[in-house]
Amino acid sequence: RPGAGGIIGTDAVAKAAPDGYTLLAGNIGPLAIAPYLQQGKVPYDPERDFMPVKLLATFSNVLVVNPSVQARNVDELIRLAKAKPGTLHFASPGIGQSQHLSGELFKRLAGVDLVHVPYKGTGPALTDLIGGQVQMMFSNIPPALPHIAAGKLRPLGVTSLVRSAALPEVPTVAESGLAGYQVVSWIGLFAPAGTPPAILARLHAEVTRALASPAAKERFAAAGADVGTGSAPDFAAFAAAERTKWSVLIREAVDRLLHQSSR
């Protein structure tokens, strides 16, 4: 059920019969970002209406800059941004996407003034970044890889706490000196609230078995993703922590914009 950044499909599962036959491949957007970015406009409650079954995959973004930017690591980029506040522009495929909020979290933890430039998709954003219309971007790894390999983009750091197998030589943003920085996009399996425990247990067991197969690991690795691990309670705790993290960041960003507009 495509549409509205995943909100339509997510709402369909929230209203489905809790019989184990209608499930949600839910992700960070409609479940941890949209409910707080679109206060009162999302027709479901991400905590009340779903039962977490299994974390399926996680994947990090990569901070890339146009080669003309005079920074070869995260520390140099932060120093450049502090020396020239408001002059560095970071692209994203749209407001509220994980790539946008990767930049907002970077701004908050590094204490720098960056200008967000939203595009209608990753392709146009990368095109303008390569062309020099913007200076930096937090991109999903797969679409950035060919441009990194061709030398058209310079990678400075990945947003997860561990290095990506797709870019093993690129340090994490956190290990580069920005302590506490972590952003991972994720996909997880959810069932409608009220699904019987026996069905949830069966789903978790079968999905865990499938994810452990060599074929699954190979396909996830090819997509630059890490296979999900842990129990259903582990996933529930992870999802709750993601909701808290992004709700706080979004509220701070909105308050900052309101304060600026009132000047």
Side-chain angles (χ1 to χ4, degrees), residues 39-255:
Q39 282 280 15
K41 297 180 181 179
V42 173
Y44 52 82
D45 185 301
E47 182 176 4
R48 181 195 64 211
D49 293 338
F50 304 98
M51 303 293 293
V53 177
K54 177 73 177 182
L55 179 64
L56 299 177
T58 60
F59 45 97
S60 62
N61 295 325
V62 58
L63 169 57
V64 286
V65 297
N66 183 283
S68 65
V69 174
Q70 299 299 306
R72 294 195 168 271
N73 54 55
V74 170
D75 183 61
E76 289 181 359
L77 181 66
I78 292 173
R79 284 194 273 122
L80 178 63
K82 288 185 175 180
K84 299 179 178 180
T87 61
L88 291 179
H89 295 70
F90 77 95
S92 85
I95 294 174
Q97 302 287 340
S98 72
Q99 299 94 319
H100 169 210
L101 294 184
S102 291
E104 293 295 336
L105 184 62
F106 186 88
K107 287 168 57 177
R108 175 188 173 200
L109 295 182
V112 294
D113 179 13
L114 305 174
V115 179
H116 174 226
V117 183
Y119 287 80
K120 293 182 178 180
T122 296
L126 285 172
T127 297
D128 270 13
L129 176 59
I130 293 168
Q133 282 75 30
V134 290
Q135 290 75 48
M136 56 186 285
M137 179 178 177
F138 292 84
S139 172
N140 289 152
I141 289 178
L145 282 176
H147 305 300
I148 292 172
K152 295 178 180 179
L153 294 176
R154 179 188 304 139
L156 301 188
V158 294
T159 63
S160 53
L161 288 181
V162 296
R163 296 192 182 195
S164 168
L167 293 167
E169 301 304 316
V170 179
T172 69
V173 174
E175 75 177 277
S176 300
L178 197 57
Y181 187 91
Q182 179 191 21
V183 179
V184 290
S185 294
W186 49 268
I187 300 173
L189 187 67
F190 295 82
T195 301
I199 293 177
L200 294 173
R202 174 73 184 276
L203 287 169
H204 182 272
E206 294 294 345
V207 172
T208 299
R209 181 179 61 80
L211 291 177
S213 70
K217 292 180 178 179
E218 181 179 339
R219 290 193 64 176
F220 276 57
D226 296 312
V227 176
T229 60
S231 65
D234 291 336
F235 180 35
F238 171 79
E242 286 286 282
R243 290 193 298 269
T244 298
K245 174 181 180 177
W246 295 118
S247 66
V248 170
L249 181 67
I250 289 167
R251 184 168 62 250
E252 289 179 351
V254 170
D255 288 346

Side-chain angles (χ1 to χ4, degrees), residues 12-26:
V13 175
K15 295 176 169 60
D19 56 10
Y21 287 97
T22 303
L23 304 171
L24 173 68

